[in-house]
Amino acid sequence: MSARSDLVPLQPGDRAPNLVLDAITQEGKIALDDFRGQKPVLVGLFRGLHCAFCRRHIAAQARLDPELREKGVESLTVVNTPIERARLYFRYHPMPNLLAASDPERASHRAFGLPNLEFTQNETNWPYKVSIAAAKDMRVVMPSELPGPMDPFAASEFLDKKDNYEVTEADEQMMATGHGQLIGQFLLDRQGIVRWSFTEVPEGGRYMFGAPNPQELMSAVSQVAQ
């Protein structure tokens, strides 16, 4: 599948689209319109659970949930993993009060303007295409998790082994079509307007595999919670 070259992430001031997704951690559906007019919501759009970096981002967002709730802000995690596989994962890796939804088609990512990065032999046109060589030149720095700076592929393999994560057929299907899906977090106010965001898109991949500064995020939360 060719990468779409017209996707641009939503920015502060943009109105978020409605999404209706299958709930993972409860029954039924979850819609962004459920929050509109009610509460601000932090929406985390991640790759599938096969992504070792995303598993850590999801856990980090879950750890912030008590602080968010204290300020009247909800938190929604969206993963590109089929629902049964996702439910199995969270059954064995429970996260208290986690509200999560399944989006294996990545419709939510497209709706928020997050490109699905295509890996190529020699062409780079960030954030839509990147050559394998350029991707391998990237360095992931996670002092508490990795023995040193590593390229993303080696780092992912190292973390999977560390987690004892077994890739399933469902994971392989997601990786085949969305291995390069860029991710992001978007803070929406009560009217569904983006007030803060953090994505992997800017500056040629500088923020790939990174996470937002918690203080910066909570400062934005304080503003929308007023």
Side-chain angles (χ1 to χ4, degrees):
M1 182 182 295
S2 297
R4 279 182 56 183
S5 58
D6 59 343
L7 289 177
V8 177
L10 295 186
Q11 300 296 313
D14 290 338
R15 184 178 180 84
N18 185 37
L19 300 169
V20 182
L21 303 170
D22 289 321
I24 296 169
T25 49
Q26 63 185 39
E27 296 301 318
K29 303 280 187 178
I30 297 174
L32 278 188
D33 274 0
D34 294 341
F35 303 100
R36 214 179 299 267
Q38 303 296 320
K39 291 182 178 181
V41 57
L42 175 64
V43 181
L45 303 175
F46 302 108
R47 287 181 283 275
L49 294 165
H50 61 268
C51 169
F53 310 108
C54 294
R55 295 196 297 271
R56 284 156 174 78
H57 295 329
I58 292 165
Q61 182 165 313
R63 286 193 295 271
L64 282 175
D65 191 68
E67 288 186 69
L68 295 172
R69 287 176 180 270
E70 280 185 13
K71 294 182 178 294
V73 177
E74 290 288 342
S75 175
L76 174 62
T77 291
V78 180
V79 294
N80 302 148
T81 298
I83 190 164
E84 293 305 324
R85 169 59 172 157
R87 283 178 171 167
L88 181 64
Y89 177 84
F90 287 117
R91 191 174 304 144
Y92 287 98
H93 301 83
M95 298 179 191
N97 300 315
L98 178 71
L99 182 62
S102 169
D103 183 11
E105 302 299 324
R106 305 188 307 281
S108 53
H109 295 65
R110 290 191 295 275
F112 275 76
L114 295 170
N116 184 19
L117 187 63
E118 178 184 345
F119 292 95
T120 70
Q121 286 300 311
N122 51 31
E123 181 183 2
T124 294
N125 177 27
W126 188 269
Y128 310 106
K129 296 181 180 182
V130 64
S131 71
I132 297 294
K136 286 186 175 180
D137 281 342
M138 293 180 178
R139 286 295 175 266
V140 181
V141 179
M142 300 171 65
S144 63
E145 299 259 25
L146 299 174
M150 302 176 75
D151 76 68
F153 305 102
S156 179
E157 184 178 353
F158 182 93
L159 294 173
D160 279 344
K161 289 180 179 177
K162 182 176 182 178
D163 296 345
N164 293 315
Y165 189 86
E166 295 184 10
V167 176
T168 66
E169 182 178 349
D171 291 324
E172 289 175 347
Q173 291 174 354
M174 293 301 97
M175 292 164 69
T177 58
H179 202 49
Q181 176 64 61
L182 300 183
I183 66 172
Q185 291 167 278
F186 298 83
L187 179 63
L188 313 182
D189 66 15
R190 290 177 182 82
Q191 288 70 48
I193 305 300
V194 177
R195 294 304 178 193
W196 170 93
S197 66
F198 176 90
T199 78
E200 292 182 317
V201 173
E203 300 183 34
R206 175 184 173 187
Y207 299 103
M208 280 290 286
F209 319 111
N213 180 293
Q215 288 75 29
E216 179 186 323
L217 168 56
M218 293 311 298
S219 175
V221 165
S222 296
Q223 293 296 316
V224 302
Q226 290 179 355

